[in-house]
Amino acid sequence: MAEGQSRPKLNSTNKDAHLIMSTRFQVIVYQWLKAIQYWLLPPTCIVCMKAGNQARDLCLDCEMSLLRIERPCKACGLPLPPGNYLSTSCGTCLAFPPHFRRLIAPYRYIPPVSSLVASYKYNRKLVNGRVLSQQFSKHLHMQYQADNFPVLLIPMPLHPARLRQRGFNQANEIARYLGRDLDIPVSRNLVKRSKKTVQQTGLNARERARNVNAAFEIKHGFRFAPETSVAIVDDVVTTGSTASELAKCLLKAGAREVHVWALARTVA
Ligand SMILES: [Zn+2]
Ligand SMILES: [Zn+2]
């Protein structure tokens, strides 16, 4: 540029063109990075270790082999008894409704899902959590076609002693993935686990209720805005008593309704 000549100012058309160019550049860089990642780390199925389907770490055969819960009760997520085509809830939920309105868990907690969840939870194999959350997100989209998504996700809290021992809360990671995918905020610090409970499996109804009674504490003085519906997010639901106890606390704090979202559920 000649001396004394001023640099031409960008008018709005120039600015727009500039912006489009930089966005195009970002897209090209992103596509290149994805291609390099694909070449360096090609998608591998987390179940059979063969090549994944498209860009996912799961192959089509293994995706089909993950056992889903067919015709679940809308309230507790357990399969409805055969021949029950008139009701969407099971007899137990009609007689003793849980504190949550609906429980959604796509998979039965049996192999390979149970081993995928176990190595995610205990050996921190995060890819398993990510792939199962991707599948779960697709399932949730179908489940809420005629219904609004809850407006807040609350990961099932771990007791601080268990969190120290495990190093991370598996439910936080699932909630973070679903929150990002479904565009729902996640609240990780609203509820604390104030009591170290034991495994619910093997306890009778009264022991289960005693075990989880007063297990949660909501931030002092917190109230939900009117009409707030929330979803508790967890990896596995066994009896549903823990989720029901947390749902009770959330309803007490003013939530309109509580849903429970878990990757898998034990079916007796
Ligand atoms: Zn596979
Ligand atoms: Zn039920």
Side-chain angles (χ1 to χ4, degrees):
M1 192 181 294
E3 212 177 326
Q5 222 179 337
S6 63
R7 190 176 288 275
K9 281 188 183 148
L10 284 175
N11 60 27
S12 66
T13 323
N14 281 344
K15 269 187 206 161
D16 288 349
H18 192 71
L19 225 124
I20 291 167
M21 286 295 283
S22 73
T23 315
R24 266 192 206 146
F25 180 70
Q26 282 170 5
V27 170
I28 291 168
V29 170
Y30 177 75
Q31 284 169 341
W32 266 99
L33 287 174
K34 286 300 275 182
I36 293 168
Q37 187 195 18
Y38 195 90
W39 181 68
L40 287 173
L41 295 164
T44 307
C45 175
I46 54 171
V47 182
C48 68
M49 309 313 279
K50 290 182 190 158
N53 179 31
Q54 295 172 343
R56 287 178 313 144
D57 289 310
L58 188 66
C59 76
L60 210 51
D61 286 346
C62 290
E63 183 178 348
M64 305 303 281
S65 76
L66 305 180
L67 258 190
R68 289 181 177 270
I69 300 178
E70 300 293 344
R71 292 195 67 245
C73 160
K74 209 167 177 182
C76 69
L78 287 172
L80 287 168
N84 179 349
Y85 292 105
L86 296 174
S87 174
T88 53
S89 298
C90 70
T92 312
C93 289
L94 289 172
F96 310 100
H99 293 287
F100 44 81
R101 190 168 79 87
R102 61 186 300 197
L103 187 151
I104 301 176
Y107 297 117
R108 283 173 185 255
Y109 191 60
I110 51 169
V113 170
S114 53
S115 27
L116 293 175
V117 172
S119 52
Y120 164 54
K121 198 157 148 178
Y122 302 112
N123 304 327
R124 223 165 165 163
K125 206 167 170 203
L126 297 181
V127 61
N128 293 5
R130 176 169 51 78
V131 171
L132 290 173
S133 300
Q134 281 168 354
Q135 295 295 110
F136 193 17
S137 179
K138 282 201 287 183
H139 182 77
L140 288 166
H141 271 292
M142 290 185 352
Q143 295 298 311
Y144 283 85
Q145 274 172 350
D147 211 350
N148 288 330
F149 279 126
V151 297
L152 186 68
L153 304 185
I154 299 177
M156 177 62 84
L158 276 184
H159 188 271
R162 195 152 285 159
L163 184 61
R164 270 197 303 278
Q165 187 186 22
R166 196 170 294 164
F168 83 122
N169 178 356
Q170 69 281 359
N172 278 349
E173 299 305 307
I174 301 166
R176 201 156 57 93
Y177 182 87
L178 295 177
R180 208 173 42 211
D181 213 42
L182 307 173
D183 199 20
I184 306 174
V186 178
S187 174
R188 295 195 305 173
N189 302 314
L190 183 64
V191 191
K192 266 195 327 199
R193 194 136 178 169
S194 42
K195 183 173 154 191
K196 203 173 170 190
T197 50
V198 295
Q199 270 283 343
Q200 293 282 80
T201 325
L203 303 181
N204 65 33
R206 186 174 291 182
E207 289 166 334
R208 285 205 300 263
R210 200 180 311 138
N211 184 32
V212 296
N213 183 37
F216 301 101
E217 231 174 73
I218 295 198
K219 224 179 213 176
H220 185 68
F222 176 85
R223 296 290 300 167
F224 285 105
E227 298 301 298
T228 306
S229 63
V230 301
I232 298 169
V233 179
D234 208 353
D235 55 337
V236 182
V237 166
T238 44
T239 63
S241 316
T242 315
S244 187
E245 178 67 20
L246 177 52
K248 187 170 88 181
C249 296
L250 297 169
L251 292 174
K252 241 192 231 169
R256 178 169 57 91
E257 61 182 34
V258 180
H259 300 198
V260 179
W261 293 356
L263 297 177
R265 199 197 194 307
T266 47
V267 176

